[in-house]
Amino acid sequence: MEHLPNSLESLGLSQLLHSLAHRAKISSTAQMILSLSPFQNWEDLQNDWQNLTEYVQLSQTGLSFATSELAEIDELFKKLDIEGNILSPDEALLFRRLLSLIESNMPLFHFVQNHQEEYPHLYSIATGIEDLPEVRRHFDSILNPEGEILDNASQELLQIREKKHTLR
């Protein structure tokens, strides 16, 4: 960002980007904001403008994108890409929160999917998003809302915890 031409600096682009990045809930989002630069071609500008226009239209229907504080999930997905990797309780809770966020936004995604002609740009994003209730239920059967592993997460764990309790 320090190599911006003087004209962009005089417009305050750097200050604007820093202000927006400061409001980001996730550091990778803040980094993406700080790396933004003016559009280099007309098509990219039109595409982003159309996405924004459709989202503003959509928000006027009363639907809006539910947001939530999420930590960095990039590393989590890299870990999930490797077969046999096991999530820690904290990572599992983070993944469960992501699934909850998707669930909260499903009415919005379904609305966009059912109104493709009105929201063609948003449709291309929303069409690939699926709710995974069976995965969510599986996480709920293992973790409590604080991310602690439940006694009945497995029969073996239940037996170990019962023995521990008896020993006390």
Side-chain angles (χ1 to χ4, degrees):
M1 191 51 51
E2 48 280 327
H3 302 297
L4 286 177
N6 287 338
S7 60
L8 294 178
E9 278 303 325
S10 67
L11 292 173
L13 180 63
S14 180
Q15 293 88 344
L16 174 64
L17 294 178
H18 279 86
S19 176
L20 291 172
H22 181 70
R23 290 177 172 85
K25 295 180 180 181
I26 301 173
S27 65
S28 61
T29 302
Q31 290 304 312
M32 282 181 16
I33 291 169
L34 291 173
S35 70
L36 290 174
S37 62
F39 290 98
Q40 299 300 313
N41 63 60
W42 183 248
E43 293 80 26
D44 289 345
L45 173 64
Q46 285 181 308
N47 189 47
D48 273 14
W49 181 256
Q50 199 57 42
N51 285 340
L52 178 62
T53 302
E54 288 179 16
Y55 185 75
V56 169
Q57 266 182 289
L58 185 62
S59 68
Q60 292 172 347
T61 67
L63 292 169
S64 64
F65 192 74
T67 61
S68 174
E69 294 267 342
L70 280 178
E72 296 296 325
I73 58 174
D74 294 343
E75 292 302 315
L76 180 64
F77 281 109
K78 287 177 187 173
K79 187 173 184 177
L80 289 171
D81 264 350
I82 301 170
E83 190 174 334
N85 269 349
I86 298 174
L87 298 179
S88 71
D90 287 342
E91 291 169 330
L93 183 61
L94 176 61
F95 193 74
R96 174 58 178 93
R97 286 184 182 145
L98 176 62
L99 292 172
S100 292
L101 183 60
I102 291 170
E103 176 187 25
S104 299
N105 283 294
M106 286 315 292
L108 175 96
F109 299 144
H110 287 305
F111 183 84
V112 169
Q113 290 167 355
N114 292 327
H115 294 85
Q116 178 182 2
E117 63 288 343
E118 296 171 59
Y119 308 102
H121 290 82
L122 294 180
Y123 175 84
S124 67
I125 298 168
T127 194
I129 299 172
E130 291 182 48
D131 190 14
L132 303 169
E134 65 285 349
V135 175
R136 231 182 17 261
R137 282 192 295 275
H138 181 68
F139 276 94
D140 289 343
S141 71
I142 296 171
L143 298 173
N144 71 13
E146 291 77 37
E148 298 166 352
I149 299 174
L150 298 170
D151 289 344
N152 61 349
S154 76
Q155 189 61 37
E156 184 179 1
L157 179 60
L158 181 59
Q159 290 170 354
I160 291 169
R161 288 189 176 170
E162 285 175 350
K163 284 180 186 177
K164 181 180 171 185
H165 180 71
T166 303
L167 289 173
R168 279 191 185 160

